[in-house]
Amino acid sequence: MANLPILDASGKEVGQYEIDTEQIANRVSKQLLHDVVVMYQANKRQGSHNTRTRGQVSGTNKKMYRQKGTGNARAGSKRTNVRRGGGVARTVKPRDYSYRLPKKAIKTATRMAIRSRIDDGEIVVINELKLDAPKTSQIAQILKNLGLADTTTLIATAGDDQIIYKSGRNISGVTVEPVRQLNALTLLTPKRVLFTQEALDRVKDGTFAGSTQNTNEAEAAA
């Protein structure tokens, strides 16, 4: 059982949030977290790298000079990979790096990532985060009041809040995600995670996207 202080926008403690981390995930598997994070990173790769072989570079295939009698090393085409302007040996071509792990393993890793951040004391809870209109300076001031001004931060909201998203997107190191879109990579990348109380309620009652009815099978396989 973990007790997290609930702060308001001014940084003042207004209560305590009690959450049972055992219900989120019964353990934290570093191997499963690593596998899922690597999957997300691989899926983000463009794979557009391309180098040309000796058959694709411009130039003649004619032998550069006769085989014997010149005093030079034996040489064939000028398009060989050992010469400037020639092709590349062991070329890399465009490819798709993406792959997919089982859905249950991905959901379990999300819950493990949340428990890991709670256990390490890297989650901040705010009672509510509401603005009348998009205002970057207001979000920046709130983060400063919460002690998050000089650190990378993920702001997790209960739903799609466009006002908070537009207010925070221009702040370096700050990302805004609804709780249903959280995954192991987005949770583990920043140094701190700011949850609204409503968003953490959804994690607590298991109604967010990372929830699953039975995580034991996936955790046992990790």
Side-chain angles (χ1 to χ4, degrees):
M1 189 69 69
N3 289 313
L4 306 175
I6 302 175
L7 308 178
D8 61 12
S10 65
K12 180 181 178 181
E13 184 174 337
V14 294
Q16 290 284 325
Y17 193 95
E18 190 175 273
I19 185 169
D20 186 1
T21 55
E22 289 285 340
Q23 292 183 353
I24 300 176
N26 57 26
R27 69 186 181 95
V28 176
S29 170
K30 292 184 178 180
Q31 184 61 56
L32 178 58
L33 288 175
H34 174 270
D35 292 342
V36 173
V37 167
V38 169
M39 179 202 72
Y40 281 117
Q41 291 175 331
N43 293 348
K44 292 173 66 176
R45 295 185 66 176
Q46 284 186 322
S48 58
H49 42 48
N50 184 38
T51 54
R52 288 182 287 184
T53 65
R54 60 189 298 172
Q56 295 173 317
V57 296
S58 61
T60 178
N61 278 328
K62 182 181 178 181
K63 187 173 175 63
M64 298 181 65
Y65 44 78
R66 60 181 180 162
Q67 180 80 348
K68 294 181 179 292
T70 66
N72 297 315
R74 294 170 289 183
S77 168
K78 65 187 298 184
R79 295 197 285 180
T80 176
N81 65 287
V82 300
R83 295 192 177 274
R84 182 176 180 180
V88 177
R90 294 180 290 276
T91 58
V92 290
K93 293 297 180 183
R95 57 163 290 189
D96 182 10
Y97 285 94
S98 64
Y99 62 95
R100 193 74 177 169
L101 292 176
K103 186 181 295 185
K104 185 173 288 186
I106 294 173
K107 288 185 176 182
T108 302
T110 303
R111 301 180 70 85
M112 285 181 175
I114 295 175
R115 174 174 176 175
S116 175
R117 301 318 293 263
I118 294 175
D119 291 344
D120 294 340
E122 296 169 339
I123 280 184
V124 179
V125 183
I126 187 170
N127 58 350
E128 63 176 1
L129 193 58
K130 293 183 179 180
L131 300 177
D132 296 329
K135 197 70 174 178
T136 300
S137 61
Q138 293 183 15
I139 288 293
Q141 184 61 48
I142 292 174
L143 292 175
K144 183 178 180 180
N145 295 339
L146 298 175
L148 303 174
D150 299 321
T151 185
T152 53
T153 304
L154 165 66
I155 301 176
T157 59
D160 293 307
D161 194 327
Q162 288 297 308
I163 293 179
I164 301 300
Y165 170 74
K166 291 178 181 179
S167 300
R169 64 182 176 182
N170 291 328
I171 304 176
S172 178
V174 173
T175 55
V176 181
E177 294 281 353
V179 68
R180 63 180 177 79
Q181 291 183 359
L182 296 181
N183 59 58
L185 179 62
T186 58
L187 284 163
L188 296 177
T189 298
K191 293 182 179 180
R192 293 291 186 271
V193 181
L194 174 62
F195 271 95
T196 64
Q197 186 173 347
E198 185 180 359
L200 201 54
D201 286 339
R202 297 196 177 188
V203 173
K204 186 176 182 179
D205 60 24
T207 58
F208 78 114
S211 63
T212 180
Q213 295 298 321
N214 184 7
T215 63
N216 293 332
E217 294 180 14
E219 293 176 355

